[in-house]
Amino acid sequence: MSFVSASLTTAPLQQQTLTPQQQYALKLLHMNAGELLAEAERAAEDNPLIECEELERPSADTQPTAGALHEETEAVRHEGESIAPEDHGPLENTYTSWTGSGAGDPDETPVIERVAAQRTLRDDLLEELGSLPDNPKIHPLVGCLIEELDDSGFLTTPLAEVAKSYMSIAAAPAADWQKALALLQTFDPPGVGASSPTDALILQVERRITEGTVKTAVGELLVVLLKNHLRQIAGNDRRALLAVAKGDETLLQDALALLQTLDPHPASGYAPEAVQYVIADIQVRHRGNRWEAMLNPQAQPAIRLSSMAQGLSVNESSPFGHYLAEARRLISGIEARQSTLLRTAQFAVDRQQAFFSEGRSALVPLAISEAAGALGVADSTVSRAVSGKFFQCPLGVFELRSLFMPPSVRAVDALGISQAVSPAKIRARICTLIAGEPPQKRLSDQALTELLNAEGFDITRRTVAKYRDLEGIPTARLRGR
């Protein structure tokens, strides 16, 4: 009899682990300027050993205005020349110095209070609700529904869930909630309180039928089409749509024409959310005969270690030691982030010097792995450093990642040498060709492909169409219209 013996062996498993400090440093590196400033502000509020320091007003040499940056594209300024605008004092002094037509009148309304505030959908709906004869049973429910509307004017939460969530302050039967919703859907703008864009369109059609502004047959046909034949409308399936209209071509045309006058988003006429401005981490300036990257002073957290904590060495397990370790970790992490970010940006700027002088058509292929190898860091570190970061230069504000363009197209130059070409250069060339096309004969994607191939670019029609779409340029047929 033979026995099969099995033995278990153990082998050491090597696995790289990151210290808490390294993990926190990577987290800071991934943050954009706005997130980093918010993180530093939060830490300064929570940690008594972190102090905020006053930021010095950026000098003309470190913080150019947008106008000055634009002028630098025309002629590079001399070093040290003042390009900052004249300082007229704090912004609040500007408002207090405005006197208006009633200067000296103690009853004169301040100018800042006479600036009209933007009206919101909620303001208008509540005002319309207040103008109706009081109904203490239904009106409070309508107010609750108004609070539940999203920015597009839709009520996406099921009515039963809304009733349940407001039960403690507005207990009412389901029938009353239905009446409240029906009342809200009679308010302006038409379609408010709908559950979806399609529902909003249907509500608008039904209101027009009630008001007598459209023929009943036309409105009813459009309602049927919206409820059951959206796919046929989207695909312009005339045969199927005509079958629904029972062969009445005129009726179908009127229904589709009515559809073009409707708005699937009831709140589209209201001001959108406030613009979110980008804070550039990096500024690119011309120095001598080359472009250089530098950190934007306005993107640097204005924090420091408290004077009482400097030089201390305490047990981290104590409350004071915990604050000290946290403060040092934050400041060290910010320093590491800024150093890595600046090194990465300068490497990209060095490789893309032509871009800052000639524009995006001069971008050369540059892979993240190439930067990582040159800087002696991991690819993921470079990826974190450029993700969500922006740089400001005379051409405008751009994502730092836009300087890293992997080659995807090859071109043959006049000497017959094949070389990689960045997608940005191809896209710029497509824009140039379309800008110069004759109005009577627009260039199709195939024609663009043939022209690019004749210039030495090895590119397919599908890639040309993709790049044209990315530039927001319609097809030749639509451009001809």
Side-chain angles (χ1 to χ4, degrees), residues 16-38:
Q16 183 181 13
T17 58
L18 298 177
T19 65
Q21 174 63 39
Q22 290 173 320
Q23 294 176 4
Y24 187 65
L26 289 175
K27 176 184 175 182
L28 294 177
L29 180 62
H30 192 67
M31 292 180 179
N32 58 37
E35 293 169 342
L36 180 67
L37 294 173

Side-chain angles (χ1 to χ4, degrees), residues 48-63:
L49 299 184
I50 298 178
E51 294 180 347
C52 290
E53 53 185 343
E54 290 295 329
L55 277 177
E56 296 182 1
R57 182 178 294 276
S59 66
D61 191 52
T62 59
Q63 181 66 15

Side-chain angles (χ1 to χ4, degrees), residues 84 132 159 261 295 393-394 465:
L132 299 177
L159 195 58
T261 67
L295 294 173
C393 69

Side-chain angles (χ1 to χ4, degrees), residues 109-161:
T109 304
V111 173
I112 189 63
E113 295 183 12
R114 299 203 302 267
V115 178
Q118 288 185 336
R119 296 286 296 181
T120 65
L121 176 64
R122 177 180 179 275
D123 294 335
D124 284 352
L125 293 177
L126 290 177
E127 184 176 304
E128 187 168 355
L129 177 62
S131 67
L132 299 177
D134 188 32
N135 185 332
K137 186 178 180 181
I138 301 299
H139 285 190
L141 306 185
V142 176
C144 295
L145 294 176
I146 291 175
E147 298 298 332
E148 289 296 311
L149 298 178
D150 62 17
D151 294 337
S152 297
F154 296 139
L155 182 66
T156 57
T157 307
L159 195 58
E161 293 185 16

Side-chain angles (χ1 to χ4, degrees), residues 23 100 196 241 304 366 381 404 415 474:
Q23 294 176 4
S196 66
L241 297 177
R304 64 186 174 190
L366 178 61
T381 300
F404 293 84
L415 299 178

Side-chain angles (χ1 to χ4, degrees), residues 11 44 65 73 104 133 152 169 190 207 230 260 268 284 286 322 339 344 408 425 452 471 481:
T65 63
T73 61
S152 297
I169 59 175
R207 179 181 296 194
L230 273 179
Q260 298 297 320
S268 59
V284 181
H286 200 273
H322 170 73
S339 174
T344 304
S408 61
K425 185 171 185 177
L452 291 170
E471 292 295 331
R481 292 181 178 177

Side-chain angles (χ1 to χ4, degrees), residues 284-325:
V284 181
R285 304 291 307 280
H286 200 273
R287 292 285 184 262
N289 60 350
R290 66 192 299 271
W291 296 92
E292 295 182 1
M294 61 191 69
L295 294 173
N296 179 8
Q298 299 303 299
Q300 311 308 308
I303 61 172
R304 64 186 174 190
L305 193 63
S306 170
S307 57
M308 62 175 284
Q310 295 181 10
L312 291 180
S313 178
V314 296
N315 186 355
E316 290 190 8
S317 61
S318 66
F320 189 82
H322 170 73
Y323 284 128
L324 181 60

